[in-house]
């Protein structure tokens, strides 16, 4: 996955929308992402990762939404089935079958941040995730751009929560 900042922020918004379970906005955001060149593979790949925060049932419902979309890049039946199996395995056994590439992917780390911003009381987890994102090379300015994306595509309430968390985090680290 090779993306610029704007592309990466799409994953943050989608993760937040999965977490708050806003089906109409999620469907619109995912279709726009597909139309803008994000692959169905990339959209499916973030679901098991963010399900840790959003919950497996919400990730499975997001998968249903993805399955209903027009994928201009080709058939997604096998991909949807594989992702569904990963999520159902997580639901049954309480663990996700992550490969090495999924554990260390910066897109997944930003998506996790989006999911955490959408949760009401996750400030400690947000703080830890912000530390990870900074260690991965994201600047304060890049992370602050997430607030704009969340305000545009998710909600002003979640964007404000993200802004407060970012300010708190960077005030603590100086």
């Amino acid at each position: 996955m090779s993306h610029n900042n704007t592309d990466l922020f799409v994953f943050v918004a989608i993760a937040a929308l999965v977490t708050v379970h806003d089906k109409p906005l999620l469907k619109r955001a995912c279709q726009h992402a597909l139309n803008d060149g994000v692959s169905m593979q990339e959209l499916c790949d973030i679901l098991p990762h963010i399900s840790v925060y959003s919950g497996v049932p919400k990730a499975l419902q997001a998968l249903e939404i993805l399955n209903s979309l027009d994928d201009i890049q080709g058939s997604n039946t096998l991909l949807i089935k594989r992702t569904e199996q990963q999520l159902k395995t997580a639901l049954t056994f309480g663990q996700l079958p992550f490969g090495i590439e999924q554990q260390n992917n910066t897109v997944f780390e930003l998506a996790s941040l989006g999911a955490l911003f959408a949760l009401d009381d996750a400030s400690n987890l947000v703080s830890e995730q912000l530390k990870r994102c900074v260690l991965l090379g994201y600047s304060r300015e890049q992370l602050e751009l997430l607030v704009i994306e969340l305000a545009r595509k998710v909600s002003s309430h979640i964007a404000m929560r993200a802004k407060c968390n970012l300010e708190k985090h960077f005030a603590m680290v100086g």
Side-chain angles (χ1 to χ4, degrees), residues 98-151:
F98 287 138
I100 298 297
E101 70 284 352
Q102 288 179 313
Q103 292 174 1
N104 299 311
N105 192 303
T106 58
V107 172
F108 299 131
E109 298 305 333
L110 280 179
S112 293
L113 192 57
L116 288 168
F117 283 148
L119 294 173
D120 284 331
D121 188 26
S123 58
N124 288 338
L125 292 171
V126 168
S127 179
E128 291 303 314
Q129 193 63 26
L130 282 168
K131 287 178 192 174
R132 281 186 65 89
C133 288
V134 169
L135 286 173
L136 289 169
Y138 289 103
S139 69
R140 179 179 185 160
E141 293 75 24
Q142 287 173 309
L143 293 170
E144 287 172 345
L145 290 172
L146 298 177
V147 174
I148 297 167
E149 186 72 7
L150 289 168

Side-chain angles (χ1 to χ4, degrees), residues 8-20 25-26 29-34 38 43 46-47 50 62 66 111 114-115 149-150 153-154:
L8 290 173
F9 299 159
V10 166
F11 297 105
V12 172
I14 288 171
L17 290 167
V18 169
T19 304
V20 297
L25 284 179
L26 176 61
C30 288
Q31 189 64 64
H32 284 288
L34 289 170
V38 173
L43 293 176
I46 68 166
L47 292 177
I50 66 166
L66 288 177
E149 186 72 7
L150 289 168
K153 293 189 176 173
V154 183

Side-chain angles (χ1 to χ4, degrees), residues 4 15 17 47 74 76 86-87 104 117 124 130-131 160 163 168 172:
N4 63 37
L17 290 167
L47 292 177
N76 55 28
Q86 283 181 317
L87 290 167
N104 299 311
F117 283 148
N124 288 338
L130 282 168
K131 287 178 192 174
M160 189 56 109
K163 182 179 180 182
K168 179 181 170 185
M172 287 175 31

Side-chain angles (χ1 to χ4, degrees), residues 35-97:
N35 294 344
D36 290 343
V38 173
S39 72
M40 183 64 78
Q41 174 83 46
E42 292 168 314
L43 293 176
C44 285
D45 283 350
I46 68 166
L47 292 177
H49 196 80
I50 66 166
S51 71
V52 172
Y53 306 113
S54 66
V56 173
K58 288 180 183 176
L60 283 167
Q61 290 173 348
L63 193 60
E64 288 177 22
I65 290 170
L66 288 177
N67 196 34
S68 74
L69 296 176
D70 295 325
D71 182 5
I72 58 174
Q73 300 170 4
S75 174
N76 55 28
T77 306
L78 291 176
L79 178 60
I80 296 286
K81 288 289 183 199
R82 182 202 62 164
T83 306
E84 180 181 32
Q85 190 57 47
Q86 283 181 317
L87 290 167
K88 286 182 177 178
T89 298
L91 196 58
T92 304
F93 298 110
Q95 63 186 14
L96 290 166

